[in-house]
């Protein structure tokens, strides 16, 4: 069974990016894939993959 939400550390492992960059992306106001539970940041994996695909397709810097 695949997880729907990924933690900050899991996103870092998944993308190979550092924690600072991932936190910056997750805290952007237009981020549709960020889920905040209490003071913790999580990522909706499906929406995050779509975001990465859009960035790659249209050459949008992350």
């Amino acid at each position: 069974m695949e997880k729907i939400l990924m933690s900050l550390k899991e996103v870092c492992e998944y993308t190979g990016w550092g924690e600072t960059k991932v936190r910056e992306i997750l805290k952007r106001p237009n981020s549709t894939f960020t889920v905040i539970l209490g003071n913790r940041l999580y990522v909706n994996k499906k929406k995050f993959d779509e975001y990465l695909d859009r960035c790659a397709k249209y050459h949008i810097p992350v």
Side-chain angles (χ1 to χ4, degrees):
M1 180 177 225
E2 187 176 340
K3 292 170 56 173
I4 296 172
L5 296 178
M6 295 190 302
S7 69
L8 181 76
K9 291 189 181 219
E10 290 172 329
V11 175
C12 291
E13 291 174 10
Y14 183 68
T15 59
W17 300 336
E19 262 189 57
T20 305
K21 183 64 176 179
V22 172
R23 281 184 195 279
E24 174 191 318
I25 292 169
L26 297 183
K27 289 186 177 184
R28 289 179 182 165
N30 62 347
S31 152
T32 60
F33 46 82
T34 302
V35 178
I36 301 173
L37 296 173
N39 63 346
R40 295 188 179 171
L41 295 171
Y42 293 94
V43 170
N44 180 314
K45 186 176 185 315
K46 182 178 177 183
K47 289 185 178 184
F48 186 62
D49 284 338
E50 291 171 3
Y51 167 76
L52 292 175
D53 287 340
R54 273 194 319 273
C55 288
K57 182 177 180 181
Y58 299 111
H59 304 287
I60 300 169
V62 178

